[in-house]
Amino acid sequence: YQPPFLEFPIFELYRKLLLYINLMRLNIAKDMLVNTELSIKSISEDCGFRDEKYFFRIFKKYIGTTPNKYRLSFRLKYMNIK
């Protein structure tokens, strides 16, 4: 008998864990984008992304827009700030 968790491919487990961690980091980044004036670089570092380019790529992949556009669209939509 082999426990079910051993049958699960380790790569798939790693991939899902990384996705979960990145989504949590992105949620924190979204909050920081709309509630602070910190630079994108500072936010990416504060959220645990070592590389700003990777942060941009992951943000766009999962959120659908760049961090700059996300911040701007939030301000235009909810705060009517230009």
Side-chain angles (χ1 to χ4, degrees):
Y1 171 76
Q2 196 173 24
F5 66 87
L6 291 179
E7 296 172 5
F8 197 71
I10 204 75
F11 177 76
E12 186 66 19
L13 179 62
Y14 172 77
R15 190 182 66 75
K16 287 186 178 191
L17 181 60
L18 185 60
L19 174 62
Y20 175 78
I21 291 168
N22 280 336
L23 290 176
M24 293 299 105
R25 289 175 174 171
L26 290 174
N27 282 332
I28 294 167
K30 289 188 328 184
D31 184 58
M32 292 176 78
L33 284 166
V34 300
N35 292 309
T36 71
E37 294 297 322
L38 293 172
S39 69
I40 304 299
K41 181 175 177 59
S42 293
I43 291 173
S44 69
E45 290 172 353
D46 290 349
C47 292
F49 293 95
R50 291 185 197 165
D51 182 5
E52 188 179 4
K53 290 179 184 178
Y54 178 70
F55 172 68
F56 268 82
R57 196 167 58 247
I58 293 297
F59 195 95
K60 182 149 186 179
K61 179 178 180 179
Y62 292 107
I63 308 304
T65 188
T66 66
N68 292 324
K69 288 182 182 177
Y70 182 85
R71 177 180 266 171
L72 181 61
S73 68
F74 181 87
R75 289 180 179 173
L76 290 174
K77 185 174 183 179
Y78 295 106
M79 301 176 77
N80 207 14
I81 297 173
K82 296 182 180 180

